Amino acid sequence: MPESPVGHGQRWTQWMRWTRVMVSRLGVPRAVAWFRRRPRWCRRTLAGLVAAQLALVLAAAGYVVTIDLPPDPAPPQASVLYYRDGRTVLARIGLTDRTDVTLDRVPLGVRQAFLAAEDRGFYDHGGVSVRGLARALWSNVVSDSGQGASTITQQYVRNAYLTQERTVSRKAREAALALKVEHRFSKDEILERYLNTIYFGRGAYGIEAAAHAFFGVSVERLTAYQGAVLAAMVKDPTRGDPAVDPKWTKDRWQWILRAMSEADWLPDGAADQVPYPAVAGESVTAAAIDGPIGLVTDRVEDELVAAGITRQQIRTGGLTITTTLDATAQQAATASIGKALKGQPAELRPALVALDPHDGGVRAYYGGDRGRGFFDDALAPRPPASTFKPLVLAAAEERGIGFQSYYNGTSPRIFADRGGAPLYNQDNLQCPVCPLDLAMVHSLNTPFYALAERVGPDRVRDLARRLGVPEKYGDQVTMVDVKGEPAPGETRADIAIGRYAVAPADLASVYATLAGGGARADRHFVVSATAPGGGVLHRFAKKPVRVLDAGVAADMGAVLSQVVAEEGRVPGVAAAAKTGSQQYGNTTDSSDAWTAGWASGLAAVVWVGRDKPGPIRTRNGRAINGDGMPYDIFRNFLAGAFAGRKAEPLPPASFVGRHEAGDLETLEGDVKMRAGLIYPGPQKGDLVDRSLAVGSWPERVSRLNDALQKFTSAGLDFSVSLVDHKTGNRYDYRGDRAFETASVVKLQLLAALLLQAQDENRALTGAERKRVRKMILASDNAAAVKVYAEVGGAKGLRQKLGRLGLGDTEPDPRFGLTTTTAKDQTRAVSALTSPGGPLNTDSKALILQLMSSVNADQTWGISAASFEGEQTAQKNGWMTRSSEGNRWIVNSTGRISGEKTDVALSVLSHGHRSRQEGIAAVERIAATTRSHLGW
C-alpha cells in the first residue's frame, strides 16, 4: 500500500520525529559534568564533532522524510533473451514457481535459521545497521567493492523496490526505505515479506517454493535443519545449491547451526552431531527451458550475476538481454550434433562451443540437451589429448624452433619423466626423421613429447594459460600433476599429449585466440542487459589483448589446415583443425574424443565422451576417436554456420623460427632415415605366432617346455605361470621358484589392506584411496611403505597372504626385498577374478580397475601376449641389485581378457644387463607362451 500524502506541517513533524530517532540510535553524548572539566581546546573539539554529527543526523533525517515508500512491488516480469541481432527471441527467463505463505506457516526453527544466517539482531534494530551501512558506503566509495552488510529489512527493500546497482545513492536510498518499512510494518510482517521474496535457485521464489524444490515438502513440514540448508543458499543461490557445490553449502549450513546454538535456538554441538539433510538432486518444480538453450540461459545468468545483477532481478525484473549467440550458428550446432548422435548409445555425451575470435562472443553453445539446471559438459574438465599439440608447437616457435624442424618420431620411446613407461605413437607409427608439421598431421606422440621437453613443459603450460586455460578449476591448479602422480604440483611433458584436463569451453578460448591472430578476447555470452525503463545495467566492453605473436598464430593455422586436408575439407570453408583421442586405460578404446579448430571469424571445439570415463563406441561397437564422430560434427557445424555467407581464407604461414635437426641424435638402431617417411611399426600381438598352437593341450605344453628350455640354455633365468579360466587349463615353467617381487608386490599390499578394511567393516578412507592409487598407478614406493606398515608389516602381510592362498610369497621386514613365485602371482590374479574367496566384489573391482589403469601406455610386459580387442590388467616391476652386479629384475603379472579369453599370466625374471633387455625378454617369453598354448 502506498504511503498517504502529507502536508508541509506534517512533514516537519515527521522530520523532527526521525531526528529524535536518529539521534537516539547514533548515541549522541549528553552533557555531563566531566565535559566542563576538560581543557578549552578539548571542549571545542568535542563540541565541533558533536555539531558535525548532529548536522549529519539532521541531514539524514531530512533525507529519510523526503523519500516516499513506493507501492507494493509489482508482480514479477520475465526477462527476455535475444540472439545477437537484438530481434530474434532466444528464451524467456521468468518466475513460474511462487506461492506466498503467512509467517505462522513457517516453523519457528526455520525462521530462526534465516535470522542466524542473515540478521541475528533483526528484532532489536530499527531496520538499519549503522556500523554496517557506514562500512559498506566507505567500501563502495573507496574500492567499488559492492560490500553489503545489510539487515533483513534492507534486503527486503532492495529486492522489492530497488535495482541492484552498486552505488552510494542506491545504498542511501535503501537505508531510508528500510527505516520507512520499519515504521510502516511490524517485524513479523517484514520477515514474512522477506521470506516470500527471496530467490533460492532452481526457479524457486519464496520459502514455500524452495521447500518443494529442494525437499519435496510444504513449508510447514520443514525442520530447522532443512531450514538452515535453505538459509545457506540466500548468499549465493547458484553455488549454494547442494547439487552444485555440496561442500560450500554444508560448510555454511554448519556455520548457521553453530550460530543458532550460540543463540540457544539449538542444542550445543548440533552442527557436528546432526546428519546433513538429504536434498533432492534436482527440482521437479523449476521453470524449465528444455534442450541446449536451457544451459545457455544458465550461463547468461551466471555472467550477469558476476556483473552485479542478482538472479532475482533477472528472474523477475523484466530485463531485455541481448546475447552473443548467432541463430544460424546455434541451429548448425544443434543439427550437427543431432545428426551424429541419432541412434547412437544413450551414454554418449557431446559438447560444442563456438566463439568469435575477434570479440570472444559465444556464437553457438551445446553443453547438453536436458535443459536448465543440468550438468554442463562444456564446462567439465577432460583430458584434451592431441588437441594440445599445437600449443607445444606454438611454444616452440616462441623459442625459435620452426614447424619444419625434424624430430625423432620413432615408437616406442623412453622419456625420463615417465618412470620408465614407454611412449607409443598411435598404431605404433614410425617416422624417424619427422618434420613437426607432418608429425602434427599424423598426431605422433613421441616427437611432440620430445619437443615439450626441449621447450620446457612449464612454458607450454604458461602459454596455455595466456591463450585461455584458467589457472584453477575450483581449488585444483590446472595442468600440473596431482597427488598420486609422478610429480605433484609440477608440469611434465605429458602436457604435450593432453593428459591434463581442460574444459571444452576453455579449449575453445584457446583456439579462438589462435584464430584471432594471437589476440585473446574474453569469452562471454552477454552483449547488454537493460531494465524495463531503458537503463543499461550491463554492457560488455572488454577489448582483446595480444598474448601471442601473429606470425606464430598464422603458422598454427597453416599447419592445422594440413590436418583438415588429411581428415576431410569443410565444403566451401577454409579451416584449420586438430583431432585428439584420450586412450581409456590400456585398451584400444578412447574415453574422450575431440576436434578443435577454426575458420575465419569462428573457432569451435567439439568433445564426445561419457558422464564418467569409460570406452566410447558407436552402436556398431566401433571405437570413437577424434577423427570420427567429433570431426564429422565439426565439419557439419562449420558448413552450416557459414551457410549463405563467404568464409575468408586463412592467413598464409609466416615460417617463424629456424629449421633445425631437433633431437635426431637420439635415433638408434636400424631405422629408415629418409626425411618425412612414415611407416607402421610392430603391432600388438606381432610377437605371437598363432600357427604353433596346434594339437592337444599336452602336446602344446611339451613344445612350449622345449621352447622355454632354449631360452634358459641361452642364459635367461625366469619362471612362467598361467591359468586359463575359460578352460581350466594350467601351466607353469619353474613356477615354484622364488624371485624377488619388485613392484608387483604392491598388488598383494593392496589386497591385504582391503582385507583389513573388510575385517573392520569399513571402506577405505580418502587418504587410503589416494595412497593405494599412487602405489599402483605411479608405483610409488613411499606410499607402499605406508601401506606395508598399516597392514602390520611382515607379520600382518604374511597372515593376509595366507588367507589369499599365497603360501609361497615371503614378506621381508626390509620392505622391497619380498620374494614370490610365478604360481603365487597367478593365484593372486585368480583370486581377483574367480567367484568366492576372502575379497568381496567391491575390493576385487577396485584392484582390477587400478591394474587396468596402470600407465595407460605402459603396454610392455605380458600385454605382448594379447591382441587388439583384448584388455590387459597388469602390474609391472623392475629394479637393480648392486649385490648382483647391478643386473635388472624385471617382472610382469596380470590378467588378459576378451570375448574368448580370460587368462592369469605371470613372468618373473632377473639377471638382465639393462632394463630394456629385461623388458624384451619378458615380452618374448609371454608371447612364446601364447604362441604354443593358444588359449
Side-chain angles (χ1 to χ4, degrees):
M1 173 181 286
E3 187 179 42
S4 302
V6 294
H8 178 74
Q10 291 174 303
R11 285 193 180 276
W12 175 256
T13 301
Q14 283 190 354
W15 182 81
M16 292 300 294
R17 184 184 303 121
W18 287 118
T19 300
R20 289 195 297 272
V21 170
M22 294 300 291
V23 168
S24 172
R25 296 199 183 284
L26 288 173
V28 177
R30 298 177 180 177
V32 291
W34 61 265
F35 181 75
R36 297 191 184 92
R37 295 195 296 270
R38 302 297 98 191
R40 179 176 296 178
W41 66 267
C42 181
R43 284 180 287 166
R44 288 179 176 177
T45 301
L46 288 173
L49 291 173
V50 170
Q53 190 176 26
L54 284 171
L56 288 173
V57 169
L58 293 174
Y63 176 73
V64 170
V65 171
T66 64
I67 299 298
D68 290 331
L69 190 64
D72 278 352
Q77 299 180 50
S79 294
V80 182
L81 277 61
Y82 292 91
Y83 282 99
R84 62 192 294 249
D85 61 11
R87 299 185 303 274
T88 308
V89 174
L90 174 68
R92 286 180 171 83
I93 304 178
L95 178 68
T96 61
D97 189 12
R98 172 176 177 174
T99 304
D100 289 353
V101 294
T102 57
L103 191 63
D104 59 1
R105 289 184 56 192
V106 182
L108 178 61
V110 175
R111 288 180 251 167
Q112 290 169 336
F114 281 86
L115 296 177
E118 299 297 321
D119 189 357
R120 300 178 205 179
F122 172 70
Y123 280 95
D124 299 320
H125 61 62
V128 175
S129 168
V130 176
R131 181 181 301 174
L133 176 62
R135 184 170 66 250
L137 289 174
W138 177 258
S139 297
N140 289 344
V141 170
V142 173
S143 63
D144 190 31
S145 67
Q147 187 168 333
S150 298
T151 66
I152 278 179
T153 309
Q154 287 174 272
Q155 291 182 50
Y156 166 68
V157 164
R158 182 167 62 248
N159 292 334
Y161 303 120
L162 300 175
T163 67
Q164 304 299 321
E165 59 180 338
R166 297 179 294 174
T167 63
V168 172
S169 61
R170 200 276 295 158
K171 198 69 181 176
R173 185 173 177 82
E174 174 189 301
L177 287 174
L179 292 171
K180 288 277 191 175
V181 165
E182 289 275 345
H183 181 67
R184 169 67 63 86
F185 303 111
S186 70
K187 286 287 188 180
D188 283 351
E189 288 174 320
I190 295 170
L191 183 58
E192 177 183 299
R193 287 167 171 255
Y194 169 76
L195 292 174
N196 282 317
T197 56
I198 305 170
Y199 178 62
F200 289 89
R202 297 191 180 184
Y205 185 75
I207 188 72
E208 171 71 2
H212 283 283
F214 290 91
F215 296 105
V217 299
S218 61
V219 68
E220 296 99 324
R221 298 182 60 187
L222 287 176
T223 67
Y225 303 105
Q226 291 172 323
V229 174
L230 298 181
M233 300 178 197
V234 173
K235 188 175 184 179
D236 188 336
T238 299
R239 188 178 185 184
D241 188 331
V244 175
D245 192 340
K247 183 180 183 303
W248 185 93
T249 312
K250 186 174 181 180
D251 287 347
R252 183 158 175 81
W253 174 78
Q254 289 179 319
W255 176 83
I256 292 170
L257 294 193
R258 291 188 184 100
M260 294 176 73
S261 295
E262 290 173 5
D264 293 328
W265 293 335
L266 286 179
D268 291 340
D272 301 313
Q273 297 169 8
V274 175
Y276 186 66
V279 180
E282 59 190 48
S283 173
V284 296
T285 62
I289 299 178
D290 294 330
I293 295 302
L295 291 177
V296 171
T297 60
D298 285 343
R299 302 293 76 81
V300 168
E301 278 200 18
D302 292 343
E303 193 169 307
L304 291 176
V305 167
I309 303 172
T310 68
R311 295 187 189 277
Q312 182 171 325
Q313 188 177 10
I314 298 166
R315 297 262 181 161
T316 66
L319 309 186
T320 297
I321 303 166
T322 302
T323 72
T324 62
L325 263 73
D326 180 86
T328 301
Q330 183 64 30
Q331 172 60 30
T334 304
S336 61
I337 289 174
K339 179 181 178 181
L341 267 72
K342 185 177 181 180
Q344 298 294 346
E347 67 265 18
L348 292 181
R349 303 275 286 269
L352 185 153
V353 180
L355 309 180
D356 188 323
H358 302 114
D359 64 7
V362 179
R363 296 295 183 247
Y365 193 86
Y366 191 109
D369 62 359
R370 294 187 293 172
R372 295 208 68 180
F374 283 90
F375 188 81
D376 190 339
D377 284 304
L379 297 182
R382 318 275 187 173
S386 292
T387 61
F388 245 54
K389 286 172 182 167
L391 277 67
V392 181
L393 184 56
E397 286 207 345
E398 287 191 317
R399 302 290 293 174
I401 302 172
F403 68 77
Q404 292 182 324
S405 296
Y406 294 122
Y407 270 73
N408 175 0
T410 58
S411 171
R413 289 185 62 184
I414 300 292
F415 294 97
D417 68 350
R418 293 176 56 78
L423 179 65
Y424 287 78
N425 292 328
Q426 186 175 8
D427 298 327
N428 205 28
L429 287 177
Q430 308 292 314
C431 185
V433 185
C434 205
L436 289 173
D437 57 345
L438 186 64
M440 184 75 73
V441 171
H442 293 278
S443 203
L444 303 183
N445 291 328
T446 58
F448 281 101
Y449 205 97
L451 184 62
E453 284 195 331
R454 177 156 297 194
V455 171
D458 288 354
R459 289 193 175 95
V460 180
R461 178 200 64 213
D462 295 343
L463 174 60
R465 289 177 178 168
R466 292 197 331 254
L467 296 181
V469 178
E471 292 193 5
K472 287 186 176 182
Y473 287 124
D475 296 329
Q476 176 59 52
V477 176
T478 56
M479 295 176 290
V480 297
D481 276 10
V482 298
K483 290 182 179 179
E485 294 181 332
E490 298 179 16
T491 302
R492 294 181 295 112
D494 261 22
I495 194 171
I497 53 177
R499 286 295 175 80
Y500 300 118
V502 173
D506 294 322
L507 191 62
S509 291
V510 168
Y511 273 72
T513 305
L514 295 175
R520 174 181 170 179
D522 286 353
R523 184 177 74 247
H524 63 287
F525 285 86
V526 179
V527 176
S528 64
T530 59
V536 178
L537 302 178
H538 169 71
R539 186 180 298 279
F540 183 83
K542 291 184 180 179
K543 302 295 184 182
V545 177
R546 177 157 299 283
V547 296
L548 183 69
D549 179 76
V552 175
D555 281 352
M556 296 308 102
V559 172
L560 297 188
S561 65
Q562 297 180 50
V563 176
V564 171
E566 176 74 16
E567 302 291 356
R569 298 184 184 277
V570 181
V573 180
K578 183 69 190 79
T579 61
S581 308
Q582 177 62 33
Q583 184 180 1
Y584 177 62
N586 63 356
T587 70
T588 56
D589 287 303
S590 296
S591 59
D592 303 89
W594 301 77
T595 295
W598 68 89
S600 179
L602 192 64
V605 166
V606 176
W607 167 85
V608 175
R610 295 172 59 168
D611 181 18
K612 295 181 180 179
I616 50 175
R617 298 172 183 162
T618 67
R619 62 189 171 194
N620 298 323
R622 295 181 179 177
I624 297 175
N625 295 317
D627 57 0
M629 184 182 293
Y631 191 75
D632 290 341
I633 294 172
F634 175 82
R635 288 181 63 201
N636 291 333
F637 165 71
L638 281 187
F642 280 93
R645 63 189 181 101
K646 183 180 179 182
E648 299 296 325
L650 298 179
S654 296
F655 297 97
V656 175
R658 60 189 176 275
H659 184 183
E660 65 173 30
D663 70 339
L664 297 186
E665 72 278 2
T666 62
L667 286 170
E668 56 185 25
D670 185 18
V671 297
K672 301 176 183 179
M673 295 296 292
R674 181 156 62 88
L677 176 64
I678 294 181
Y679 57 93
Q683 301 298 304
K684 194 173 183 182
D686 276 359
L687 295 178
V688 178
D689 184 352
R690 299 191 188 202
S691 67
L692 299 177
V694 294
S696 65
W697 179 259
E699 291 172 337
R700 297 182 188 188
V701 167
S702 176
R703 287 196 297 270
L704 176 57
N705 285 335
D706 292 342
L708 296 182
Q709 184 60 45
K710 291 179 181 178
F711 291 155
T712 303
S713 300
L716 291 179
D717 191 5
F718 64 92
S719 66
V720 179
S721 180
L722 174 142
V723 177
D724 186 343
H725 296 115
K726 291 284 187 180
T727 64
N729 290 325
R730 296 172 181 269
Y731 172 83
D732 74 273
Y733 179 83
R734 306 169 75 187
D736 292 324
R737 178 164 179 184
F739 284 80
E740 292 188 20
T741 60
S743 287
V744 297
V745 74
K746 290 163 184 169
L747 290 179
Q748 281 78 55
L749 283 173
L750 175 55
L753 181 61
L754 288 167
L755 275 177
Q756 183 165 296
Q758 288 178 198
D759 292 342
E760 297 168 359
N761 196 28
R762 65 176 180 86
L764 295 185
T765 66
E768 287 172 333
R769 281 187 171 273
K770 290 180 181 178
R771 190 174 299 138
V772 299
R773 183 176 178 84
K774 191 174 183 180
M775 178 178 71
I776 300 298
L777 269 62
S779 209
D780 186 85
N781 287 330
V785 169
K786 291 180 180 179
V787 174
Y788 194 66
E790 191 171 353
V791 300
K795 181 179 179 181
L797 180 58
R798 184 180 292 111
Q799 184 269 333
K800 295 174 180 65
L801 291 175
R803 293 170 61 186
L804 291 167
L806 309 182
D808 295 334
T809 301
E810 181 59 32
D812 192 291
R814 296 166 297 169
F815 172 76
L817 304 181
T818 305
T819 59
T820 191
T821 65
K823 289 177 73 173
D824 246 11
Q825 290 303 311
T826 53
R827 278 192 284 264
V829 175
S830 296
L832 304 178
T833 56
S834 302
L839 289 168
N840 63 30
T841 302
D842 291 341
S843 295
K844 293 176 181 178
L846 175 61
I847 298 176
L848 286 172
Q849 184 267 319
L850 290 173
M851 290 173 68
S852 296
S853 302
V854 167
N855 296 324
D857 39 32
Q858 186 178 323
T859 53
W860 66 268
I862 63 167
S863 61
S866 65
F867 296 112
E868 292 295 332
E870 294 178 341
Q871 183 171 349
T872 308
Q874 65 186 12
K875 187 74 185 83
N876 300 327
W878 61 81
M879 62 187 298
T880 57
R881 177 76 62 239
S882 59
S883 61
E884 296 185 12
N886 292 320
R887 295 285 178 133
W888 284 84
I889 300 163
V890 180
N891 299 330
S892 183
T893 188
R895 177 196 191 194
I896 300 173
S897 59
E899 185 178 348
K900 299 179 180 180
T901 307
D902 188 358
V903 170
L905 176 64
S906 180
V907 179
L908 309 180
S909 69
H910 76 161
H912 306 288
R913 288 173 296 182
S914 69
R915 181 174 60 194
Q916 279 305 107
E917 179 189 89
I919 289 173
V922 167
E923 290 186 333
R924 191 163 66 254
I925 292 165
T928 299
T929 301
R930 184 161 195 178
S931 295
H932 287 84
L933 298 184
W935 71 71

